[in-house]
């Protein structure tokens, strides 16, 4: 019987490549302060890259605006955009974020029915309730579960530093039967679909996104001058959970020709990536030309440490920069606010494994050494620090972040340890 709690089976069981380890620096637990801010080095960048003030808009082209290439099933084209309040006169790097596998419909009755069915062992009732929670589009009167809003905390901070950040929806993919490598391929497709729309908007001020921005709270139309202010040759991608695998697929050397014309991805981050356990051919994931970072918490109850192994093998031969960050006390779901208990959202839960007799301690499996579990706020603070350092370094050229990315400095030492394994970019 299927259960809604994801398991480590979603991570690929693959031994860590000795060749990759030998090429990487040793792990550090660092203790110093954060790096300095970067200067404005490029004349084409905005004259106001870090003013701090940000704004937010949303676009929604419909729940069935796109058809999955693999199955023809409907999927949404929607996103929430955080951006600098003053776009200035230059161009801002674009970061596209995509969430992973989670329930698609915020159906509280179905959630309660599934919980009751699980407790009673009623397989038929469990499957019926799950079908309602993973429907797409959602039933009339049932709101979609907005997983794309789960990264507002980091997107807002990145926008304050000069980035335009679009977190896009993947509910249609989550409701589909796509499995194996077809799942990350579909997530890469939707990333490229959004990039194509942004490229047309930025270069011409036209296309599907033109005139489609609204206030997220009121739905009132918003006019935003993104045209000629988004640098599509300087793009970052972030994927969480199964979208971490999707981001790796999208940025792979063998898939660069699928990027829309005029788009160049300069940095890719996989947060708690859930890869296909059956993958044997690594070529669809291999990234050697693009800086690549992967993150995982030591209390992740969904994705095992094998995610690091997969990422290391995917980055074998990467001379652009490869980084792995093991965040002590972090779990899987706290990276997304919509999946975390404090949101009180449907299907939100803490996936860390508790330690009997040790309140506040957690592991990722029963036989692992325990550590102090981070709060939701603490985990997101650390994620923001390291994602910010990564994107600032590789999209803004801020070499002041190098000591953070290589483990020489630890800006969040007062919160937790972060083990870093890094291969710096070749010069």
């Amino acid at each position: 019987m299927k259960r809604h709690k994801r398991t480590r089976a979603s991570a690929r069981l693959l031994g860590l490549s000795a060749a990759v380890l030998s090429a990487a620096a040793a792990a550090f637990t660092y203790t110093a302060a954060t790096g300095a801010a970067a200067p404005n080095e490029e004349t084409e960048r905005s004259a106001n890259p870090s003013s701090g003030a940000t704004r937010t808009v949303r676009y929604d082209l419909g729940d069935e605006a796109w058809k999955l290439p693999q199955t023809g099933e409907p999927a949404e084209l929607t996103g929430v955009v955080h951006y600098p309040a003053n776009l200035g006169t230059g161009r801002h790097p674009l970061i596209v974020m995509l969430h992973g596998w989670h329930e698609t419909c915020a159906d509280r009755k179905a959630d309660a029915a599934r919980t009751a069915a699980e407790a009673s062992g009623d397989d038929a009732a469990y499957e019926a309730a799950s079908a309602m929670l993973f429907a797409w589009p959602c039933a009339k009167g049932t709101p979609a579960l907005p997983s794309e809003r789960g990264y507002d905390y980091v997107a807002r901070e990145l926008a304050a530093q000069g980035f335009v950040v679009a977190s896009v929806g993947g509910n249609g993919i989550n409701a589909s039967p796509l499995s194996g490598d077809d799942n990350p391929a579909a997530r890469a497709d939707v990333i490229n679909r959004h990039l194509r729309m942004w490229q047309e908007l930025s270069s011409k001020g036209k296309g599907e996104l033109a005139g489609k921005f609204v206030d997220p709270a009121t739905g009132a139309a918003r006019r935003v001058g993104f045209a000629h202010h988004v640098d599509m040759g300087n793009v970052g991608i972030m994927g969480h959970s199964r979208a971490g695998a999707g981001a790796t697929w999208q940025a792979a050397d063998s898939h660069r020709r699928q990027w829309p014309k005029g788009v160049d991805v300069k940095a890719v981050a996989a947060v708690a990536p859930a890869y296909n356990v059956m993958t044997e051919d690594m070529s669809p994931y291999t990234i050697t030309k693009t800086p690549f970072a992967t993150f995982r918490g030591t209390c992740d109850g969904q994705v095992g440490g094998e995610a690091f192994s997969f990422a290391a093998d995917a980055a074998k031969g990467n001379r652009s920069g490869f980084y792995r960050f093991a965040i002590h006390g972090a779990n899987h779901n706290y990276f997304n606010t919509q999946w975390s208990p404090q949101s009180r959202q449907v299907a939100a839960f803490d996936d860390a494994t508790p330690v009997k007799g040790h309140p506040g301690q957690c592991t990722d499996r029963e036989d692992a050494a325990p550590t102090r579990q981070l709060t939701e706020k603490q985990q997101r603070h650390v994620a923001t620090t390291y994602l910010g350092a990564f994107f600032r370094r590789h999209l803004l050229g801020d070499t002041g972040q190098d000591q953070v990315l290589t483990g020489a400095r630890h800006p969040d030492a007062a919160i937790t340890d972060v083990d870093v394994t890094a291969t710096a970019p070749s010069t």
Side-chain angles (χ1 to χ4, degrees):
M1 175 170 59
K2 291 183 180 179
R3 293 292 183 254
H4 69 284
K5 183 172 182 178
R6 287 148 288 196
T7 69
R8 287 188 299 274
S10 59
R12 180 175 181 263
L13 302 178
L14 178 67
L16 186 60
S17 167
V20 173
L21 279 178
S22 65
F28 300 88
T29 301
Y30 28 85
T31 56
T34 186
N40 182 13
E41 298 176 349
E42 296 187 14
T43 57
E44 284 302 310
R45 294 204 181 118
S46 171
N48 307 90
S50 303
S51 63
T54 67
R55 292 179 180 170
T56 306
V57 291
R58 183 176 180 83
Y59 60 92
D60 188 349
L61 307 186
D63 291 345
E64 301 181 70
W66 185 53
K67 302 296 182 184
L68 298 179
Q70 294 84 353
T71 67
E73 292 177 290
E76 75 275 33
L77 288 175
T78 184
V80 56
V81 187
H82 295 270
Y83 61 99
N86 183 356
L87 290 171
T89 58
R91 296 177 185 268
H92 300 260
L94 174 70
I95 298 174
V96 174
M97 299 180 170
L98 179 62
H99 63 87
W101 186 75
H102 196 73
E103 283 78 355
T104 59
C105 300
D107 189 330
R108 296 195 178 277
K109 290 184 178 179
D111 192 33
R114 184 175 62 180
T115 300
E118 184 170 20
S120 65
D122 188 336
D123 288 11
Y126 185 94
E127 295 296 340
S130 293
M132 289 186 282
L133 290 164
F134 281 96
W136 196 256
C138 298
K140 186 176 181 180
T142 300
L145 202 153
S147 290
E148 71 277 7
R149 296 306 305 261
Y151 312 108
D152 282 357
Y153 66 97
V154 63
R156 189 176 296 111
E157 180 61 28
L158 288 168
Q161 296 176 26
F163 299 96
V164 173
V165 187
S167 179
V168 305
N171 280 335
I173 298 173
N174 288 348
S176 78
L178 290 171
S179 61
D181 289 338
D182 286 341
N183 195 281
R187 296 183 192 276
D189 287 337
V190 79
I191 290 170
N192 286 328
R193 185 70 170 77
H194 283 271
L195 288 175
R196 191 176 78 193
M197 293 192 296
W198 277 97
Q199 165 62 8
E200 191 168 16
L201 178 70
S202 179
S203 63
K204 303 176 183 178
K206 299 178 180 180
E208 294 171 278
L209 294 183
K212 296 298 174 62
F213 296 102
V214 301
D215 185 293
T218 67
R222 285 270 199 93
R223 293 179 61 86
V224 186
F226 287 125
H228 310 297
H229 288 298
V230 182
D231 187 353
M232 298 305 297
N234 197 21
V235 171
I237 304 296
M238 188 214 83
H240 175 211
S241 193
R242 294 194 189 183
T248 308
W249 185 285
Q250 192 272 345
D253 296 354
S254 61
H255 298 138
R256 292 167 69 93
R257 63 184 179 277
Q258 297 176 14
W259 299 351
K261 184 178 180 180
V263 171
D264 195 0
V265 176
K266 296 292 184 64
V268 57
V271 178
Y275 294 102
N276 174 22
V277 296
M278 303 304 292
T279 296
E280 294 182 0
D281 178 8
M282 288 296 296
S283 61
Y285 295 95
T286 301
I287 300 174
T288 66
K289 301 177 182 179
T290 306
F292 180 30
T294 185
F295 302 75
R296 180 183 176 271
T298 63
C299 292
D300 192 319
Q302 307 300 329
V303 174
E306 299 84 5
F308 278 159
S309 305
F310 190 108
D313 279 347
K316 186 176 180 180
N318 189 310
R319 299 175 62 83
S320 299
F322 173 55
Y323 314 89
R324 290 181 298 165
F325 303 98
I327 304 172
H328 288 237
N331 69 5
H332 191 83
N333 284 355
Y334 287 6
F335 287 117
N336 187 304
T337 60
Q338 295 293 316
W339 302 359
S340 305
Q342 287 183 6
S343 71
R344 298 187 178 181
Q345 181 59 272
V346 168
F349 67 100
D350 174 4
D351 58 279
T353 300
V355 181
K356 187 176 181 180
H358 296 275
Q361 299 283 302
C362 65
T363 67
D364 59 353
R365 59 186 189 278
E366 292 182 357
D367 59 344
T371 189
R372 180 181 60 84
Q373 183 169 2
L374 299 180
T375 65
E376 294 184 26
K377 183 177 180 180
Q378 288 172 331
Q379 180 168 327
R380 291 169 198 145
H381 179 92
V382 176
T384 299
T385 295
Y386 286 91
L387 281 167
F390 176 66
F391 285 124
R392 285 186 64 84
R393 172 64 179 88
H394 292 290
L395 298 182
L396 294 179
D398 182 0
T399 56
Q401 303 300 322
D402 283 350
Q403 289 188 321
V404 176
L405 295 176
T406 60
R409 292 185 180 182
H410 181 13
D412 293 332
I415 298 175
T416 192
D417 290 335
V418 179
D419 299 332
V420 179
T421 304
T423 304
S426 299
T427 56

